[in-house]
Amino acid sequence: MLNKSKASFNAFKIKAFTMAEILIVLGIIGVVAEMTLPSMVAEYQKQVYVEDAKKVYSSLSDALNRYMQAQGCSTFKCTGAFDTYESATILNGIAPYLRVQKNCGRTQGCFYNSTSYFLNKTPWGQNYYNAQALGNGYPSKMQLESGAYVVVRTIRDCTGNNGSPPMDVLCAYIVVDVNGDKKPNTAGRDIFLMWMTKNSLVPYGTEAGIDAIRWDRDNTYVACRNTNDPGQGCLARIVQEGWQMNY
């Protein structure tokens, strides 16, 4: 009877893995993780950049429209903020409609003092924005509560022209680093460029115009076809492709 019970018990025994087998499985999992995790993290980080860019772009567009309407205007030029080269005028005008942590104007600050980069990893050198600007025509800067840096350089009387509408009337050039001092400080990743046109905010690289300056063309600085390009026009591509960073 006892032998029969032992036989029955042995029939239901489950064979355990050996230590060697466990180590082999763990090794395989480690190799797979090493191969896939970096790309997963990179894709996640891209989406973070895109979400930050979308928030800043939306906030700036809203602030500019509210400022224009408060002045009883339908164009930015009508506000009087572009009668001179003083970039601080428009920055001060939109500040009440933004969540601003610090408004540096043309004084030192509100931008990092380290080198920034093009998408192809060559130095851009936008760190000069951190310096104090002594005269009109120089950029003005602010830092939003989100940490984003916003740099505005105006074009007097909105006389900038880059071809066909809406790029035939340009009032200012805007540079945004969506995460402030945090790396990578790279065009097309966390640095994005925009134009203030006649009455709207437009991503840099949107319009072909007379010079065919567009993100998908082989233009100096603007192109954003792949990571071998400089990437200044990447925001236009991101918007065009449904707020996705497909590069």
Side-chain angles (χ1 to χ4, degrees), residues 66-182:
R66 291 173 68 184
Y67 170 70
M68 184 171 58
Q69 292 169 10
Q71 305 304 308
C73 294
S74 59
T75 65
F76 294 130
K77 182 179 179 181
C78 162
T79 65
F82 302 93
D83 292 347
T84 69
Y85 286 110
E86 178 51 84
S87 55
T89 304
I90 185 62
L91 206 66
N92 294 334
I94 65 175
Y97 307 105
L98 294 166
R99 302 185 67 174
V100 178
Q101 178 172 307
K102 186 177 181 181
N103 187 345
C104 295
R106 287 191 283 109
T107 63
Q108 190 172 15
C110 294
F111 211 80
Y112 38 80
N113 200 31
S114 56
T115 301
S116 52
Y117 298 88
F118 292 113
L119 185 61
N120 57 19
K121 298 183 180 180
T122 58
W124 185 356
Q126 293 291 67
N127 55 308
Y128 72 86
Y129 283 147
N130 184 59
Q132 181 173 354
L134 300 177
N136 289 341
Y138 286 86
S140 291
K141 306 153 291 178
M142 66 168 57
Q143 184 174 23
L144 304 182
E145 289 183 1
S146 65
Y149 290 139
V150 178
V151 181
V152 179
R153 186 164 191 169
T154 55
I155 302 171
R156 186 172 182 177
D157 292 328
C158 295
T159 53
N161 188 332
N162 194 32
S164 56
M167 305 299 288
D168 57 335
V169 178
L170 301 177
C171 298
Y173 171 81
I174 298 177
V175 178
V176 172
D177 189 311
V178 297
N179 58 6
D181 287 329
K182 295 179 182 178

Side-chain angles (χ1 to χ4, degrees), residues 7-71:
S8 178
F9 175 77
N10 289 334
F12 287 96
K13 286 177 65 176
I14 299 175
K15 185 179 179 181
F17 291 109
T18 66
M19 181 59 70
E21 290 172 330
I22 292 174
L23 290 175
I24 291 172
V25 172
L26 289 176
I28 294 172
I29 292 173
V31 170
V32 172
E34 188 176 358
M35 294 172 59
T36 59
L37 273 179
S39 61
M40 291 174 63
V41 171
E43 288 302 313
Y44 170 76
Q45 189 58 63
K46 284 182 182 182
Q47 199 54 41
V48 171
Y49 295 144
V50 169
E51 289 301 318
D52 288 345
K54 189 175 184 178
K55 289 175 184 176
V56 175
Y57 181 73
S58 177
S59 295
L60 287 174
S61 296
D62 179 67
L64 287 165
N65 285 328
R66 291 173 68 184
Y67 170 70
M68 184 171 58
Q69 292 169 10
Q71 305 304 308

